[in-house]
Amino acid sequence: MATDGLSLHACICELQGLVGGKIDKVQQPNKDILILHIHAPELGRVKLMLCIHAENGRMQFVTRNFENPAVAPAFCMLLRKHLIGCRIAALEQAGMNRIAVLSLNGKNEFFDAVQLRLVIELMGRHGNVFLLDANGTIMDCMRHFGISEQAARICLPNVPYENPPEAEKLHPFTATKDQLEACARGRMPKYWLCEAVQGVSRLCAEQIVSEDASEEEIVPSILRVFSDLKEKRFTPSVIVQAGVLPFHPQNAAFVSYPSMSEAQDVFYRSRDEQAIITKTRTALRSVLDHAKKRTEKRLSECMQMIGDESRIERDRLFGELLTVAHVESSGTRTSVVVQNYYEMPPVPLEIPLDPKHTVAENARLYFKRYQKNKSARAHAIEQQSTLTEEIAYLKGQLLNVAACTTTDELAEIRDELIRLHYIRESDSEHKRTQQTKSKPLHYIAPSGADIFVGKNNLQNEKLIRTSDPNATWMHAKGVPASHVILNCASPSREDLVAAAMIAAFHSDAAASENVAVDYTLLKHVKKPSGARPGFVNYFHQHTLYVTPSSETVLTYRSQEEL
């Protein structure tokens, strides 16, 4: 849930201590977030987050650090040029809309005093941040929208800023009892309040009045909440998996916090990371799907070429028969009948000809096409195993992408795809610092032995490289799957079945029955020289057949994973 007008009002009241503060630093960690480092007289050094994500948009103080991209976006560079050194003159809300305005006083490169405005629009998918000059002209904005995109207004540099279109609604702090009763018409607030009053979201309308309240109590209860917010009597509350409100909800369990920033940080921190994970996962899946389709098409062409052996040999036969045939070469012919002496007894055979060429020239053309297709078929046979292996690799990477749960794990897959030239490395990735190493999944066998599951090829190879050679290695047979290590020299039958079920669950056959799982000692697992990441050969294996169950696998998860 993005911030609504009432929550933004509470945030802006909380952020008034920034007035008089000086902007020391500007960061833009990603396309949706700005971080302003401010030295305020009352608050000291603080960080103000401006997030315009469609679902997680808000303003708040933050304490955690954000990693800067190696190359700052153009909008961030513009803000650094104009905002660093500016002092905040005012922080206001436009009506009860989801629009905040930072008024700034600073100096330009000629040390002349200038007045700027930073307009933050937290309007879902239309969210944006504008830097305006003293005349209200857009100097630049985070998201550009032109006429061709059928936007309600133009959001481009050097264009006068226009306020977003407004609906005719009541202001919550000036609305009267009679006006609200006229809007209610015997309905519950969740059906009319967000449509009639500014700044009220659907969640707010559902939680502002108890569902058990009588019809006579509804409007007075709403007015009490509006009065508390107007007088700045906020009680920030978090509804789990729902959102943040500046008052105590009436129809849901909640947790109270001393400030809106703390409440929003608790609610949105995991959602921010999940949004990044979802975006990265979608981008990687798109790359892998495209590469897989392209490789499958190449394999199909190779298989077609391999299956054309009879047609290729027919060209050789036609060339030989035309070479030894005693046929007049003058005139234009579309075909010629010769004796096929490869049959006993010889039989007549009609051979198509190109009328623009003589019989001898047609024979040379058949021989040329034969040699070309023969070489192509030989190359296709060589490529068949390589392409099959590549498709298996890409399917495995799609499985790994789905299994990853952190940005570090997805970053490791992306780095691997860059090394293998599936993704072109950008300057920012080239200069990026080393990612924090991710950890494999951890399970506990019935005997208490550790079971580790790799979530990407880097983890798989690290498990093989660092685990005990006498540990048991497992892998679902014949399908893309994670590598599983059971750290036990002589596991019991119960431990083997548990590890096999985990291996089957983390494979492409997770929804199947009687999945074959191979297992052997880790010392019998070898990676061929030059093989793709995650590809191994193994020997002296045995096979178990299990039917994976998510409920059963969950019982083996270690406490640190839950």
Side-chain angles (χ1 to χ4, degrees):
M1 182 199 99
T3 301
D4 61 11
L6 293 178
S7 297
L8 182 60
H9 168 73
C11 292
I12 288 180
C13 291
E14 182 180 296
L15 299 175
Q16 287 303 311
L18 294 173
V19 175
K22 186 177 74 169
I23 299 176
D24 294 329
K25 186 177 178 181
V26 179
Q27 288 178 273
Q28 189 177 347
N30 58 55
K31 68 181 185 65
D32 294 323
I33 294 178
L34 279 174
I35 306 295
L36 303 182
H37 294 245
I38 302 170
H39 189 192
E42 299 180 7
L43 305 174
R45 298 186 183 277
V46 293
K47 288 183 281 190
L48 175 65
M49 171 194 279
L50 311 176
C51 177
I52 60 170
H53 188 271
E55 298 176 359
N56 303 333
R58 78 270 189 197
M59 291 178 64
Q60 66 169 91
F61 288 126
V62 290
T63 55
R64 66 183 189 271
N65 295 322
F66 292 82
E67 183 180 353
N68 275 326
V71 179
F75 184 65
C76 179
M77 296 297 290
L78 181 79
L79 293 184
R80 289 175 180 175
K81 175 182 177 181
H82 293 283
L83 297 193
I84 291 179
C86 285
R87 291 196 176 272
I88 299 174
L91 174 56
E92 302 169 318
Q93 184 178 9
M96 197 50 62
N97 295 314
R98 294 174 291 172
I99 302 175
V101 181
L102 271 171
S103 299
L104 305 163
N105 294 328
K107 294 183 179 181
N108 59 19
E109 57 268 29
F110 302 108
F111 299 99
D112 296 326
V114 292
Q115 293 181 336
L116 303 171
R117 281 187 296 158
L118 195 67
V119 181
I120 304 100
E121 297 182 352
L122 307 177
M123 302 171 63
R125 61 190 181 90
H126 300 293
N128 213 335
V129 177
F130 299 86
L131 180 62
L132 311 181
D133 63 15
N135 299 319
T137 302
I138 300 173
M139 299 173 68
D140 204 355
C141 50
M142 283 186 77
R143 297 176 179 169
H144 291 180
F145 298 98
I147 298 176
S148 61
E149 298 172 59
Q150 298 181 352
R153 57 194 175 133
I154 300 175
C155 301
L156 294 172
N158 301 318
V159 173
Y161 173 77
E162 298 179 13
N163 291 317
E166 287 191 43
E168 293 293 332
K169 293 185 178 182
L170 299 174
H171 194 288
F173 298 162
T174 59
T176 64
K177 181 178 179 181
D178 292 339
Q179 289 174 322
L180 293 177
E181 287 178 344
C183 296
R185 299 186 185 90
R187 298 183 297 168
M188 288 297 293
K190 62 182 179 181
Y191 297 117
W192 63 269
L193 193 56
C194 58
E195 299 175 358
V197 181
Q198 292 181 13
V200 179
S201 64
R202 186 172 296 278
L203 177 65
C204 178
E206 291 173 351
Q207 300 297 330
I208 199 168
V209 177
S210 172
E211 292 180 347
D212 299 330
S214 64
E215 188 172 339
E216 294 75 18
E217 295 174 331
I218 290 177
V219 171
S221 298
I222 293 172
L223 288 173
R224 279 196 298 273
V225 173
F226 287 167
S227 176
D228 288 341
L229 298 180
K230 181 179 180 181
E231 298 301 324
K232 302 180 182 179
R233 294 191 291 268
F234 307 116
T235 52
S237 306
V238 173
I239 305 175
V240 179
Q241 301 297 327
V244 180
L245 293 175
F247 57 85
H248 285 167
Q250 298 298 313
N251 304 308
F254 63 91
V255 180
S256 294
Y257 290 89
S259 68
M260 287 295 293
S261 288
E262 289 185 47
Q264 291 183 129
D265 197 51
V266 168
F267 180 75
Y268 287 108
R269 183 188 286 250
S270 61
R271 292 169 66 94
D272 284 339
E273 184 175 0
Q274 192 58 46
I276 296 173
I277 289 172
T278 300
K279 178 184 174 183
T280 307
R281 181 181 286 128
T282 301
L284 290 177
R285 188 179 287 121
S286 176
V287 170
L288 292 169
D289 280 334
H290 177 72
K292 178 171 163 287
K293 290 178 181 177
R294 183 183 59 207
T295 308
E296 287 174 340
K297 181 179 179 182
R298 290 173 57 197
L299 179 61
S300 175
E301 293 172 350
C302 286
M303 297 303 294
Q304 182 179 355
M305 179 60 69
I306 293 171
D308 280 351
E309 183 178 11
S310 59
R311 182 178 61 82
I312 296 172
E313 289 299 318
R314 186 191 62 189
D315 288 341
R316 180 191 61 79
L317 174 63
F318 286 178
E320 289 184 355
L321 294 179
L322 287 177
T323 301
V324 300
H326 299 287
V327 181
E328 290 187 20
S329 61
S330 59
T332 59
R333 296 189 177 192
T334 58
S335 65
V336 65
V337 177
V338 298
Q339 292 296 315
N340 181 7
Y341 51 81
Y342 284 100
E343 298 286 343
M344 292 302 291
V347 295
L349 178 64
E350 184 177 5
I351 300 178
L353 298 179
D354 185 344
K356 294 183 294 184
H357 299 282
T358 65
V359 173
E361 289 172 342
N362 271 279
R364 286 194 293 272
L365 289 175
Y366 274 117
F367 277 126
K368 183 177 180 180
R369 190 165 68 183
Y370 163 72
Q371 291 295 339
K372 178 180 178 181
N373 290 337
K374 181 182 177 182
S375 300
R377 184 174 182 274
H379 180 70
I381 293 173
E382 294 176 0
Q383 288 292 305
Q384 181 183 2
S385 60
T386 302
L387 294 174
T388 303
E389 181 183 320
E390 182 176 0
I391 291 172
Y393 169 79
L394 294 171
K395 287 181 177 179
Q397 285 291 50
L398 284 168
L399 184 68
N400 291 339
V401 167
C404 289
T405 55
T406 68
T407 53
D408 289 334
E409 292 165 356
L410 291 171
E412 289 171 349
I413 293 179
R414 182 176 177 83
D415 289 342
E416 182 180 322
L417 295 178
I418 289 173
R419 289 196 301 272
L420 295 178
H421 306 293
Y422 287 103
I423 299 176
R424 180 177 297 177
E425 183 180 26
S426 64
D427 292 337
S428 59
E429 287 166 328
H430 180 71
K431 299 175 183 178
R432 187 180 61 206
T433 56
Q434 183 67 29
Q435 294 285 334
T436 304
K437 297 300 182 183
S438 59
K439 296 180 180 180
L441 285 173
H442 184 204
Y443 292 86
I444 303 295
S447 67
D450 293 322
I451 301 175
F452 295 103
V453 180
K455 288 187 280 186
N456 57 41
N457 288 332
L458 185 65
Q459 291 183 5
N460 290 334
E461 294 193 344
K462 185 176 180 181
L463 283 173
I464 294 174
R465 188 172 62 251
T466 60
S467 299
D468 184 350
N470 291 314
T472 302
W473 175 89
M474 286 192 170
H475 193 281
K477 186 175 183 178
V479 294
S482 297
H483 294 227
V484 176
I485 300 293
L486 171 58
N487 273 336
C488 185
S490 54
S492 65
R493 174 73 180 182
E494 190 178 11
D495 284 356
L496 286 174
V497 171
M501 186 169 291
I502 292 169
F505 181 76
H506 290 283
S507 75
D508 219 17
S512 304
E513 296 181 356
N514 290 326
V515 180
V517 178
D518 287 340
Y519 67 95
T520 186
L521 295 179
L522 184 57
K523 62 185 179 182
H524 297 145
V525 179
K526 307 295 180 184
K527 180 178 179 179
S529 177
R532 290 179 177 273
F535 182 82
V536 295
N537 290 330
Y538 55 94
F539 314 95
H540 308 298
Q541 71 272 15
H542 303 278
T543 304
L544 281 174
Y545 291 88
V546 294
T547 300
S549 166
S550 58
E551 292 80 6
T552 305
V553 169
L554 188 61
T555 62
Y556 301 126
R557 292 290 287 271
S558 66
Q559 290 298 317
E560 65 189 43
E561 297 286 351
L562 295 175

